[in-house]
Amino acid sequence: METLDDQQIEAHLTGVDGWVRDGDAIVRDCKLSDFVAAIALVDAVAVVAEQANHHPDILVHGWNRVRLTLSTHSAGGLTGADFALAAEIDALLP
């Protein structure tokens, strides 16, 4: 899979809500209503990530926060797969 250039990345970022670029990755911080909701989000992301065979880094912190980080490690940067999964994750959020 080919990595995207800076212009392509910026164009893709306009199509996903709440994601920001962090080097060779995109990151989204989510604040949920409580710990149970945070873990429910993690579970839901796990299902779509497994279906896509593309897995984000997931950090649960505080009692209601989840940070999701997407990058295609095998390609060495951001690819279309990252933005496709970001859009699927966006659809999971309240």
Side-chain angles (χ1 to χ4, degrees):
M1 189 168 289
E2 230 177 274
T3 57
L4 302 172
D5 63 31
D6 289 338
Q7 187 176 14
Q8 292 169 314
I9 291 168
E10 290 304 315
H12 277 84
L13 278 171
T14 63
V16 291
D17 187 37
W19 294 86
V20 295
R21 186 173 183 185
D22 184 9
D24 288 336
I26 55 173
V27 176
R28 179 159 185 175
D29 288 305
C30 305
K31 183 177 179 182
L32 291 301
S33 60
D34 56 28
F35 184 72
V36 172
I39 298 305
L41 174 62
V42 170
D43 288 342
V45 169
V47 171
V48 296
E50 193 64 20
Q51 289 171 346
N53 194 29
H54 191 59
H55 306 94
D57 293 335
I58 301 173
L59 172 67
V60 178
H61 58 105
W63 59 276
N64 66 339
R65 296 180 186 269
V66 176
R67 173 173 283 179
L68 302 161
T69 304
L70 288 167
S71 182
T72 305
H73 302 291
S74 61
L78 289 163
T79 67
D82 299 304
F83 290 96
L85 185 54
E88 286 190 61
I89 290 170
D90 286 349
L92 300 172
L93 296 169

